[in-house]
Amino acid sequence: MGRTETELMLKGYGLTTAEVVYRMPDYRNVLNTFVWQDYDLAPDYPKLFGFIEFWQEKIEGPLHSVRFVHRKLIGAGEWRNVTGTFTYQ
């Protein structure tokens, strides 16, 4: 069973977004873009580099460039367990 996004963020994962620029297989002078996004661990980025390896092995469009950005959305210090809520008017 997969982990929820909140569980991943509490374990140190952050949202990684990559812009992949690649050449069209039949028209090498034409560039196209693909946007990839997943939760990944900095600074090693195992999911991102796994995706790039998959692209190079399985997809015919050769890579031109990859730009990526990583952002931790929450950290363990920002999380509080709330056991109840109060509603007042």
Side-chain angles (χ1 to χ4, degrees):
M1 185 168 137
R3 295 181 176 152
T4 66
E5 292 177 3
T6 304
E7 289 173 330
L8 289 172
M9 287 186 277
L10 290 174
K11 292 185 180 290
Y13 284 76
L15 190 61
T16 303
T17 305
E19 177 190 40
V20 179
V21 179
Y22 64 97
R23 298 186 183 278
M24 297 296 289
D26 295 334
Y27 305 97
R28 297 297 173 133
N29 294 330
V30 177
L31 295 175
N32 203 358
T33 60
F34 178 81
V35 176
W36 175 90
Q37 194 172 53
D38 203 350
Y39 288 93
D40 208 353
L41 280 170
D44 296 330
Y45 304 104
K47 288 187 179 184
L48 174 62
F49 290 124
F51 172 74
I52 292 172
E53 289 175 10
F54 168 81
W55 185 289
Q56 291 175 333
E57 293 172 5
K58 305 289 184 184
I59 297 185
E60 294 182 19
L63 292 175
H64 175 270
S65 60
V66 178
R67 294 187 316 168
F68 72 96
V69 54
H70 177 82
R71 172 78 177 161
K72 288 181 105 173
L73 301 176
I74 63 171
E78 299 172 20
W79 176 261
R80 290 185 302 139
N81 185 20
V82 178
T83 57
T85 59
F86 297 97
T87 304
Y88 59 93
Q89 297 174 334

